[in-house]
Amino acid sequence: MLSIAPNPGLPLLAAGLLMLALPAMARAPVLALGALGSLVMLFAPDFGASQAMEQLGVVIVVRFDALAQLIGFSLAVTALVAALGAPQPRSRGEDAALGLHLGAAATAVFAGDLVSLLAATELSALAGGWLILAAGGRTALAAGARYLMWQAPAAIALLAGCAFLLAHNNSSEFGMASLSSLGGLLLVTGFAIRIGAPLAHPWLRDAAAAVSPGAMTAMALTGPLLGLYALTRAFAGEPLLLALGLGMIGLGAVYAFAESDLRRAFGGLVTLQVGACLAAAGAPEGLGVGAAALLAFTATVGSLALGAALAVGVSVAGTADARRMPALAARLPLSAAAAVIGAASIGAAPVLAGGVGLGLASGAIAAAGGVVGAFLGPIAAALSALAAARVAGAAFFTPAAMAAKGPGVGGGGVLIALLLSVFLCIAIGVAPGWLAALAPNPLATRLAWIDLIDLALAAAAALSVLGLACAIRVTALRGVGAPLDVDDLYRGPLFALLRWLAALFLRLFSTLRALGEAGLAVLQRGFIDLARFADRPYRPAGPGLAGALAASLLLIFLVISLKP
């Protein structure tokens, strides 16, 4: 009898497969039940438990430690909100892809071996491409193609990295890796693409803008959460994580402010938050692991509240362009309140979830960056507050007098999703003790940093209030349309350079081939002439035959006469 490792991602995977056979009215409840099943399996084992069994000749390890449980908790809550919070019914393909995307990511988070980690990660990436393409339309087709083009080199790097690590360590266990090894470098390259690190970040905003509004938040969060978990697991304490995180903070802030498409701005906001988590994970001696895990969960909760409200606003307005968004706060007061609470939580406002996570992350970034890091934490918190405030303000508090043109919102699941995300934002901020107890090294994250954390919290809270006020009262931050990005370099000058080099190579190749063919023709003619010269035709009659016979007889006579 074949036994199955009890991975908490399996209920979501099963729900995703069931979406292909269920009617429309049953798909959202079944997907929500799959998320609840993952939550139950997530907290059933004891902390630190690890189960291993052999399946098809491969040792499959399921690991239940605090880091995996917090990231898995984030993915399960994301799945629950995504299942219930779709403003409009999704297609069968979108529901199936959404369940597989989230379920495979949760399965990878609890994978303790490289084989199952790689398989689940690639399944999640393929399902993400399916989720984009299932939205339909030319925009989704183009975004899906770009997404898969970015995921392909990531998959190759991860496959090669896992192979090198298996050969080097003679073990399939997934744990700490070294950047001095080729396997470690390939692994960090693959997962850096998956989180949207600098130079590989355009796909995240494209994907968030291409999927349907009900899948936007899940699409923006799932891949980065999985990549963050893997990098924290394998490279915690590495200075490279701090550098990547700071780059993502800067890029995310720029695009959260500059994008006119609020879905793309939301993708930039997610990049900013994941960058803060990654920078915290670069803290030495395990200090950043707990801070990164806590911040990942609290940032997820705030993003779910803001993203669910934004999805409702985009569906009602019929557009995501901040320059054409109508004033929706009066028409959608609950969604506007959820957006404000989510933005305030992202901005580390007191008594909200983000205040706990960003406070701990500020201390961890300070530990990783020394004197410079002491200022980077508050700066990251301030940028998060202002960027989140800009997205919420542009979506619901613009003074434009335009009329809404969207199809509106249907179903009571949206209300449940909004209330759930808002409840988590408030409950964690008011009573964070239970969440801190789940984090790795909960006491070490506070050790010797209490004063700095309080300072960071105060600065972030003040800037959060200021940013929200500015976003509500001042609506000049409508974006600049589609700002330039590194993707424009790839598709513009760099593509033109590669095309010119390819044309030059083809011309050079054609010239060399012509010269080679001419040389071969000369050699061929020479060999033919040589063969004709050496191969004289035999003629059986004529004077030549008599002369040849006479010469032969004379030669034989001379040889016999001269023989002693």
Side-chain angles (χ1 to χ4, degrees), residues 109-199:
V109 165
F110 290 94
D113 62 286
L114 291 170
V115 176
S116 53
L117 171 75
L118 179 64
T121 299
E122 297 315 315
L123 176 58
S124 179
L126 289 174
W130 182 16
L131 181 59
I132 298 172
L133 295 174
R138 297 178 60 183
T139 301
L141 182 61
R146 287 195 296 271
Y147 173 87
L148 294 175
M149 288 177 62
W150 279 109
Q151 302 306 311
I156 295 172
L158 291 177
L159 177 61
C162 289
F164 277 111
L165 288 176
L166 280 169
H168 182 266
N169 300 332
N170 198 23
S171 171
S172 63
E173 181 184 1
F174 175 50
M176 291 295 295
S178 174
L179 289 175
S180 60
S181 65
L182 180 58
L185 286 174
L186 290 170
L187 206 65
V188 77
T189 300
F191 281 116
I193 296 175
R194 292 288 162 86
I195 64 173
L199 300 181

Side-chain angles (χ1 to χ4, degrees), residues 59 92 104 162 206 214 228 256 259 275 314 318 333 338 343 375 404 535:
V59 178
R92 187 184 304 275
C162 289
D206 285 347
L228 173 66
E259 290 282 4
V314 169
F375 297 96
D535 185 18

Side-chain angles (χ1 to χ4, degrees), residues 299-328:
T300 298
V301 169
S303 297
L304 288 175
L306 178 57
L310 180 60
V312 174
V314 169
S315 296
V316 172
T319 180
D321 193 337
R323 297 166 295 185
R324 297 198 297 268
M325 286 290 288
L328 295 173

Side-chain angles (χ1 to χ4, degrees), residues 150 198-202 485-496 498:
W150 279 109
L199 300 181
H201 59 276
D485 199 353
V486 68
D487 204 25
D488 296 296
L489 174 64
Y490 297 150
R491 290 182 287 174
L494 185 59
F495 178 75
L498 292 176

Side-chain angles (χ1 to χ4, degrees), residues 64-73 109 228-230 232-234 289-290 292-293 438-440:
F64 294 93
D65 62 358
L67 176 61
Q69 283 173 318
L70 270 177
I71 303 297
F73 194 10
V109 165
L228 173 66
Y229 162 79
T232 303
R233 170 75 68 189
V289 176
L438 302 183

Side-chain angles (χ1 to χ4, degrees), residues 28-51:
V30 170
L31 192 57
L33 287 176
L36 291 175
S38 293
L39 284 172
V40 171
M41 292 183 65
L42 191 151
F43 290 107
D46 296 330
F47 284 173
S50 181
Q51 303 182 33

Side-chain angles (χ1 to χ4, degrees), residues 356 427-437:
V356 180
I428 296 171
V430 173
W434 66 273
L435 183 62

Side-chain angles (χ1 to χ4, degrees), residues 12-109:
L12 273 172
L13 283 175
L17 293 175
L18 286 174
M19 295 298 104
L20 296 173
L22 292 175
M25 64 181 302
R27 291 200 295 263
V30 170
L31 192 57
L33 287 176
L36 291 175
S38 293
L39 284 172
V40 171
M41 292 183 65
L42 191 151
F43 290 107
D46 296 330
F47 284 173
S50 181
Q51 303 182 33
M53 58 181 60
E54 187 171 343
Q55 295 178 187
L56 302 178
V58 179
V59 178
I60 303 299
V61 181
V62 182
R63 179 166 40 202
F64 294 93
D65 62 358
L67 176 61
Q69 283 173 318
L70 270 177
I71 303 297
F73 194 10
S74 303
L75 289 170
V77 173
T78 300
L80 184 58
V81 172
L84 299 174
Q88 295 297 320
R90 289 184 292 258
S91 67
R92 187 184 304 275
E94 284 181 292
D95 280 330
L98 183 62
L100 292 175
H101 186 42
L102 285 159
T107 302
V109 165

